[in-house]
Amino acid sequence: MEISVNGKPVKIEIAMNLAQFIQSRGFKPQTVVIEYNGEIVKAQTWEGIVLKPHDRLEIVTFVGGG
Amino acid sequence: MMNAFEVGLTRYLKNEQLEKIQHIHVGIAGAGGLGSNSAIMLVRTGFKKITVVDFDEVDSSNLNRQNYFMDQVGESKVSALANTLRKINPAIELQIVNAKITKDNIAEIFFSCDIIIEALDTPAGKTLIVEELAGNKQLVVAVSGLAGFGNSDRIKTHKINEHFYIVGDLVSGIDALPPLAPGVTIAAAKQVDLVVEYVLK
């Protein structure tokens, strides 16, 4: 199936939840915020969100410095 | 009654603009490089209702970019910043919170804020602010990528949605590059400019 990640199409071969997807793409979970179909979703809910065709993800990565 | 500072402001801002600005409550999460500089710019622009949160003390290594002075080293950041802000406008309604922001206290601290400036140092702190607050109706203006020097136009404003913006180049972290006054101040200035635009538009 195909989903959209930061505006680009991404193909996914096996069913997975948001937490697994983030790991599979090499992100450090503590450093990203995810907007899932237009809503910010908290990290503790990622495991319960199973990706489905046409889902839209915006993955925002934070680097340190303030 | 307006004080002399506020009378001075009316040379540049219409009364109705100043009134809007003075009614907005801005929460600043962190009083380091972003927080100290953005707080000062907010007060200079006329903002009066401000909550600043930080648990740290001023260290000599902060002085390269944070708006503190040699004689404030060792003092709590929120109290040092409060003194500076009151020198600009003694009439501000400032709330200072000397605490570390956690999952347990974040909602209570920022409950009454219309706008949140994310000004924390670590990625974990930044994601905490965004995850807990950006889903509400509050405007959240966060920063990612302000370290290093050169090509300062890389520090951009990214609109994620109506209530959530990120300023920065999204890649230049302090793990690899030094935080310096120009980059930090540019990011803080862009945060405050977004806030001003949001309030006055």
Side-chain angles (χ1 to χ4, degrees):
Chain A
M1 67 173 175
E2 197 171 282
I3 64 169
S4 159
V5 179
N6 295 351
K8 291 184 186 129
V10 170
K11 280 212 163 63
I12 298 179
E13 306 298 337
I14 51 165
M16 59 172 85
N17 65 42
L18 212 40
Q20 292 165 328
F21 179 75
I22 288 299
Q23 294 245 300
S24 75
R25 306 288 287 186
F27 288 105
K28 288 186 201 145
Q30 316 91 298
T31 67
V32 299
V33 168
I34 303 177
E35 195 188 52
Y36 174 72
N37 295 333
E39 301 245 340
I40 306 272
V41 286
K42 294 183 187 177
Q44 65 258 35
T45 67
W46 293 354
E47 285 195 351
I49 298 172
V50 178
L51 292 172
K52 52 186 198 307
H54 313 299
D55 274 347
R56 283 174 297 115
L57 297 184
E58 286 290 327
I59 303 173
V60 181
T61 307
F62 282 97
V63 295
Chain B
M1 231 213 32
M2 284 190 189
N3 62 28
F5 168 77
E6 289 163 347
V7 171
L9 261 177
T10 61
R11 181 182 288 201
Y12 310 106
L13 293 173
K14 299 187 188 104
N15 278 332
E16 70 255 31
Q17 289 179 316
L18 192 53
E19 213 161 279
K20 271 188 190 170
I21 283 174
Q22 289 180 337
H23 275 95
I24 293 288
H25 183 183
V26 184
I28 305 176
L34 293 171
S36 63
N37 285 302
S38 63
I40 285 169
M41 284 185 268
L42 284 165
V43 171
R44 288 198 190 283
T45 311
F47 286 85
K48 275 181 111 164
K49 292 186 186 172
I50 295 175
T51 296
V52 187
V53 191
D54 202 299
F55 65 93
D56 212 358
E57 289 167 1
V58 178
D59 185 86
S60 62
S61 66
N62 301 147
L63 302 180
N64 81 319
R65 66 195 188 282
Q66 306 188 14
N67 220 309
Y68 300 108
F69 306 96
M70 283 280 275
D71 62 358
Q72 293 175 322
V73 169
E75 201 179 325
S76 103
K77 285 188 179 178
V78 285
S79 116
L81 184 57
N83 288 333
T84 306
L85 297 176
R86 290 203 176 97
K87 280 188 193 168
I88 300 168
N89 184 2
I92 50 172
E93 298 155 39
L94 180 66
Q95 191 196 1
I96 59 173
V97 182
N98 195 340
K100 193 172 167 71
I101 299 167
T102 66
K103 261 199 172 81
D104 296 325
N105 65 17
I106 186 169
E108 194 187 336
I109 291 173
F110 295 106
F111 166 73
S112 64
C113 295
D114 304 295
I115 294 172
I116 319 290
I117 298 243
E118 181 281 308
L120 297 174
D121 216 23
T122 64
K126 290 168 182 291
T127 56
L128 173 69
I129 297 289
V130 174
E131 282 196 351
E132 296 294 328
L133 302 176
N136 307 342
K137 283 186 180 148
Q138 296 159 307
L139 174 73
V140 175
V141 185
V143 169
S144 177
L146 52 62
F149 54 86
N151 182 25
S152 63
D153 290 347
R154 70 195 152 84
I155 298 173
K156 288 201 176 81
T157 301
H158 307 267
K159 179 178 182 177
I160 309 301
N161 63 44
E162 288 301 319
H163 299 291
F164 175 31
Y165 289 79
I166 298 183
V167 170
D169 70 5
L170 308 178
V171 293
S172 300
I174 52 169
D175 49 340
L177 296 162
L180 299 175
V184 173
T185 315
I186 288 166
K190 281 180 169 276
Q191 284 182 293
V192 174
D193 187 63
L194 262 170
V195 170
V196 175
E197 184 187 18
Y198 183 85
V199 173
L200 293 185
K201 207 165 65 179

